[in-house]
Amino acid sequence: MKHTLILTLLSLAGVLGANASRSISSPSGELLLTVDVDGEGRPFYSLDYKGKSLVKESRLGLTADELDLTRGFGIASVDTVTVDRSWTPVWGEYDNVRDHFREMAVNLTGEEPARDLTVRFRVFDDGLGFRYELPVNRVGRNYLTVRDEATEFNFTDDHTLFCIPGDYDTDEYLWSETTFSGLPEALGNYRRHSEAQRTGGTTIQTPMLIKTAGKDPVYVNIHEAALAGYPAMLLDVDTQENGMKAHIVPDRLGVGAYLQMPFSTPWRTLIVSDDARDILASQLVLNLNEPCAIEDTSWIKPMKFMGVWWEMFTGNQKTWAYSDDYLAKPGVTDYSALKPNGRHPANTENVKKYIDFASENGIDGVLVEGWNEGWEDWASYRKNRQFLFDKAYPDFDVDALREYAKAKGVKLIMHHETAANAADYELQLDRAFQFMKDNNYDAVKTGYVGAIIPRSEHHTSQWMVDHARHVIERAADYEIMVDSHEAPRPTGLCRTYPNWLAQESARGGEFESMGGNPPSHTCILPFTRLKGGPMDYTPGLFETRMSYYNEGKDSQAGTTLARQLALYLTMPSPMQMACDLPDNYRRFPDAFQFIKDVPVDWSDSRYLEAEPNRYITVARKDKHSDDWYLGAITDDKARKSEVRLDFLPKGKKYEATIYEDAPDADWKENPQAYRIRKINVDSGTRLKLRLAPGGGTAVRFTPK
Ligand code: NOJ
Ligand code: CA
């Protein structure tokens, strides 16, 4: 890790008057942050971009049962510093990340009762982060019961919003493109998820994206960084005034956070640019996270994997459960007494077939879902949902598969579906991880489907945020990598804990079997959800018609086959699935070649074209070779463009293998029409892209 210099340090001591506003600009000067307190001592900030107001006066502060930290303040002092350093991620989109910002810590103080609050702002060229720092109170109080956060994000006009509804439990929604004033109608169109708790009203989740109204729009991603020890943030939207206010996820008693001081909240983040490509390239959220906390990271290995997984989604009656008759005999715990249902793919013989296929095709891992006891119990929705993470089903031979996978050079990936019984999972955690290590597993996919047990908590409340980090830290102790589903949405903690390879935390590819994801879905996720960290989206779906698997199903994936290849570039993740059945890959071996070739770790990334909800074109360089790759996707409209290959090193010749939609391809009518061609290119080439409706292009560039 390379830390370069701290340039300036300036401290203004002494209590400044209420009218002494304080400003600081980004290193480039394009962003200007101003902080002040009003006549009632209420702190607020505003943000200008390129000389124009972007965020109007917006309040700051917290309300706790013990102290009101929203008013009665004066600015005691301001500390400013400029930092320019860089760091080396263990994996990611870049091999080196510059962390360059000007910081202003505004130290607020008030009397009767005595209270102090520091708001630390970091202004980067691509946006702003700020957090609250709570010292031990001068009269000795060291805890706070936080109910509300006053933080506002007030905008100047009826801008476009890209968002999903506020929900304490799930983020598996399709995205709305609306405006402040159009939000009530847009949110009215959402169906509530079973067992999840919607907030109602006009509350939305972060990460969300704003595109400002008028010509020369500015894009703003609002999210948070380093969410730890505190609940996740939603946003209450004032649809008349174009404003938003933080809404921290409460527990059942209405408490957001029980804090022990000193404490620093997560950073509230705004990524800002008038070029949509900069939003995708921004590393601001990662920069605001703490450096890697794991000393030896040599065991953390980005990977591609397949899974005994899609079989259960395709509607052909395959089950995670071994038996159907648990319900009929409540109280049965002896699995040898249960009648196998014969539709259980997590069996030794079938898993061996996946291992064979992975081994033949250079795929690193095989995930197996439904291998352990407990699924019958879950299906029955009995109150004491419990899975056992060291007890395999009778037809899953742990020893034989351990040896078989080892011999074939493939890593088995374990699955821990907790059915949201998080408290019980914590109790089993050490045994579960030890069982993994004993059987040569070094990655786990976790899951939290359903309402959290204990029932007083939500998926994104403080307790679950703490749980998620606890699991990651314990996993690191055992040198285990994690892909978590239904966990609090990511906020860049994968920088600190790089064994947290991926998360779901959005509507993923599995929904292609449940109504389908429209092509625009993967054109908005990189602008929103992915700013927190990589997603286990599960790309690589070659058979997109669910009727292929089961005549009774009519759902269809919103994608062409070629687009599925492009997703490996536009949805980067160090733990990337090839989600389809081996048989479907055997039907299209020439297209599958791209999935075999494409890396999952990059030394450089260049966003060439981007517009939220419409299209994305990105080029990336393999971390371990001189190969470059390109991925382009569009929404449900066909798209033609021409991109310059000036990212290739000058004077060097490359062979481009292009996987593209055939001229008559269309996601709905003709999704599997693709063609593959090879051409010679160099940095001067302009590459013509032709994308079908819902289509995409994937390219591999190899040096000649
Ligand atoms: C939901 C997850 O997102 C999915 O990937 C998993 O297969 C099921 N839960 C079962 O655990
Ligand atoms: Ca899920």
Side-chain angles (χ1 to χ4, degrees):
M1 196 174 304
K2 196 181 79 195
H3 282 268
T4 40
L5 67 172
I6 291 186
L7 289 176
T8 59
L9 185 69
L10 173 80
S11 179
L12 302 171
V15 177
L16 305 170
N19 294 326
S21 74
R22 289 288 167 263
S23 292
I24 193 166
S25 66
S26 56
S28 70
E30 287 182 346
L31 280 164
L32 179 70
L33 166 80
T34 302
V35 182
D36 206 345
V37 291
D38 70 8
E40 291 175 47
R42 295 184 299 195
F44 60 88
Y45 75 100
S46 59
L47 187 66
D48 293 356
Y49 177 62
K50 294 193 174 174
K52 280 208 277 203
S53 171
L54 181 68
V55 181
K56 296 192 297 187
E57 290 183 357
S58 297
R59 289 186 56 191
L60 297 162
L62 308 163
T63 317
D65 288 354
E66 299 81 2
L67 268 182
D68 181 359
L69 294 170
T70 66
R71 62 185 66 237
F73 281 117
I75 298 177
S77 63
V78 168
D79 304 316
T80 62
V81 62
T82 300
V83 174
D84 191 358
R85 59 192 173 192
S86 63
W87 55 281
T88 307
V90 174
W91 46 259
E93 296 183 76
Y94 303 90
D95 59 8
N96 195 262
V97 177
R98 187 176 181 191
D99 182 21
H100 185 200
F101 58 85
R102 299 190 69 209
E103 179 177 286
M104 178 164 76
V106 180
N107 304 311
L108 300 163
T109 191
E111 303 301 331
E112 292 170 39
R115 71 211 109 114
D116 301 291
L117 175 68
T118 293
V119 192
R120 187 174 303 275
F121 295 89
R122 288 186 178 171
V123 195
F124 302 78
D125 285 344
D126 58 353
L128 169 70
F130 60 91
R131 72 176 182 192
Y132 301 107
E133 296 177 0
L134 303 154
V136 174
N137 187 255
R138 269 181 277 141
V139 293
R141 190 192 306 282
N142 68 345
Y143 64 91
L144 282 180
T145 313
V146 178
R147 299 241 172 213
D148 191 22
E149 207 182 290
T151 313
E152 290 175 344
F153 307 89
N154 293 326
F155 286 85
T156 53
D157 205 345
D158 193 15
H159 300 324
T160 297
L161 313 180
F162 302 86
C163 58
I164 56 176
D167 194 313
Y168 297 152
D169 288 291
T170 184
D171 20 46
E172 299 184 15
Y173 288 103
L174 288 175
W175 289 76
S176 280
E177 179 175 343
T178 180
T179 55
F180 280 107
S181 60
L183 191 66
E185 198 195 326
L187 293 186
N189 294 332
Y190 284 97
R191 244 178 349 115
R192 187 177 175 277
H193 281 260
S194 60
E195 290 205 83
Q197 186 164 333
R198 279 274 301 278
T199 53
T202 51
T203 304
I204 59 174
Q205 305 193 30
T206 76
M208 60 85 61
L209 186 78
I210 290 180
K211 180 181 178 181
T212 63
K215 67 171 181 44
D216 307 324
V218 179
Y219 303 85
V220 187
N221 171 292
I222 300 182
H223 191 32
E224 57 183 318
L227 172 61
Y230 200 78
M233 176 176 72
L234 304 173
L235 298 169
D236 289 333
V237 182
D238 182 334
T239 60
Q240 301 298 304
E241 298 295 327
N242 311 318
M244 301 194 277
K245 181 191 156 298
H247 172 138
I248 51 174
V249 174
D251 67 8
R252 195 173 51 84
L253 302 175
V255 175
Y258 302 87
L259 300 182
Q260 196 79 19
M261 271 95 79
F263 182 82
S264 297
T265 68
W267 298 88
R268 277 63 191 95
T269 59
L270 298 100
I271 305 172
V272 179
S273 179
D274 53 10
D275 185 335
R277 296 173 301 177
D278 296 342
I279 305 292
L280 298 178
S282 173
Q283 301 292 293
L284 181 143
V285 171
L286 290 176
N287 274 331
L288 287 168
N289 273 272
E290 296 299 316
C292 181
I294 300 169
E295 215 164 292
D296 171 17
T297 57
S298 58
W299 53 273
I300 299 174
K301 296 203 174 77
M303 66 177 95
K304 267 181 285 190
F305 69 105
M306 302 193 58
V308 177
W309 179 76
W310 186 239
E311 286 194 42
M312 283 86 92
F313 279 91
T314 50
N316 56 9
Q317 309 302 316
K318 300 273 178 72
T319 63
W320 282 263
Y322 163 79
S323 173
D324 292 340
D325 58 25
Y326 197 45
L327 241 193
K329 299 176 195 160
V332 174
T333 53
D334 176 7
Y335 271 82
S336 61
L338 294 185
K339 195 164 122 276
N341 65 19
R343 293 176 284 111
H344 178 236
N347 65 71
T348 308
E349 193 196 337
N350 191 41
V351 174
K352 279 185 178 171
K353 287 186 193 157
Y354 278 81
I355 293 172
D356 289 343
F357 186 84
S359 171
E360 281 156 25
N361 292 287
I363 305 286
D364 311 289
V366 171
L367 162 76
V368 186
E369 297 201 1
W371 67 276
N372 62 326
E373 291 188 4
W375 292 88
E376 289 79 6
D377 203 22
W378 185 24
S380 72
Y381 271 89
R382 285 147 45 124
K383 292 291 163 281
N384 58 338
R385 306 192 296 261
Q386 196 195 30
F387 284 88
L388 298 174
F389 302 108
D390 57 356
K391 287 270 184 311
Y393 276 138
D395 61 346
F396 183 88
D397 188 335
V398 177
D399 295 333
L401 287 169
R402 179 188 61 235
E403 297 311 317
Y404 195 77
K406 227 188 248 173
K408 295 274 177 170
V410 170
K411 278 286 181 178
L412 283 171
I413 298 169
M414 192 151 273
H415 184 222
H416 290 167
E417 173 57 67
T418 67
N421 196 341
D424 180 66
Y425 187 42
E426 287 188 8
L427 297 177
Q428 293 193 55
L429 208 52
D430 277 299
R431 250 187 309 144
F433 286 163
Q434 192 56 53
F435 180 78
M436 283 180 63
K437 287 324 263 194
D438 291 347
N439 290 294
N440 205 30
Y441 291 70
D442 47 26
V444 64
K445 170 176 164 181
T446 59
Y448 298 87
V449 174
I452 298 294
I453 297 176
R455 288 295 287 235
S456 57
E457 298 299 336
H458 293 292
H459 280 76
T460 55
S461 60
Q462 182 188 25
W463 193 87
M464 277 304 286
V465 167
D466 286 342
H467 168 83
R469 194 174 47 145
H470 174 67
V471 171
I472 297 302
E473 284 178 346
R474 295 306 286 145
D477 292 343
Y478 285 86
E479 304 196 340
I480 285 172
M481 297 169 277
V482 182
D483 163 17
S484 39
H485 281 226
E486 298 92 26
R489 42 199 166 274
T491 59
L493 286 167
C494 56
R495 173 180 173 187
T496 312
Y497 306 105
N499 62 320
W500 206 344
L501 288 186
Q503 287 190 233
E504 180 191 48
S505 300
R507 181 173 162 126
E510 67 192 32
F511 277 86
E512 302 292 16
S513 73
M514 302 181 275
N517 291 336
S520 58
H521 189 58
T522 37
C523 296
I524 187 61
L525 286 173
F527 284 96
T528 52
R529 158 66 184 78
L530 265 60
K531 296 323 297 175
M535 177 170 176
D536 179 19
Y537 185 76
T538 70
L541 189 65
F542 280 10
E543 183 46 70
T544 60
R545 290 188 168 112
M546 298 311 120
S547 57
Y548 177 88
Y549 306 97
N550 181 321
E551 276 181 14
K553 280 209 131 187
D554 61 357
S555 144
Q556 188 181 339
T559 180
T560 63
L561 191 152
R563 177 206 191 79
Q564 288 292 311
L565 304 179
L567 293 180
Y568 288 85
L569 280 300
T570 59
M571 302 285 288
S573 173
M575 188 166 172
Q576 194 71 283
M577 195 175 202
C579 75
D580 213 333
L581 310 178
D583 276 347
N584 287 338
Y585 291 136
R586 286 192 189 100
R587 290 162 59 203
F588 305 97
D590 54 353
F592 185 57
Q593 185 62 41
F594 184 84
I595 296 181
K596 289 163 67 172
D597 292 338
V598 69
V600 290
D601 197 11
W602 309 99
S603 61
D604 199 3
S605 297
R606 308 286 174 84
Y607 287 93
L608 306 177
E609 304 179 292
E611 177 60 18
N613 239 359
R614 302 283 181 278
Y615 56 85
I616 294 169
T617 307
V618 62
R620 302 188 194 274
K621 185 178 172 296
D622 180 15
K623 202 172 201 166
H624 304 291
S625 77
D626 289 332
D627 290 1
W628 279 82
Y629 285 79
L630 179 146
I633 57 170
T634 179
D635 60 6
D636 58 1
K637 285 171 209 66
R639 180 159 197 274
K640 276 188 194 155
S641 80
E642 206 174 82
V643 291
R644 298 165 58 113
L645 305 185
D646 51 8
F647 49 85
L648 296 174
K650 267 214 170 64
K652 231 175 150 169
K653 299 274 178 226
Y654 281 78
E655 180 177 75
T657 308
I658 303 168
Y659 301 75
E660 61 192 354
D661 298 315
D664 58 346
D666 176 290
W667 75 268
K668 205 163 175 38
E669 305 304 332
N670 198 11
Q672 288 165 335
Y674 64 89
R675 63 182 187 189
I676 302 170
R677 59 192 172 99
K678 288 184 195 282
I679 57 171
N680 292 329
V681 299
D682 59 27
S683 62
T685 307
R686 288 168 168 277
L687 183 68
K688 284 199 169 71
L689 302 174
R690 278 183 67 262
L691 282 63
T697 302
V699 188
R700 178 185 185 187
F701 302 96
T702 41
K704 293 279 278 185

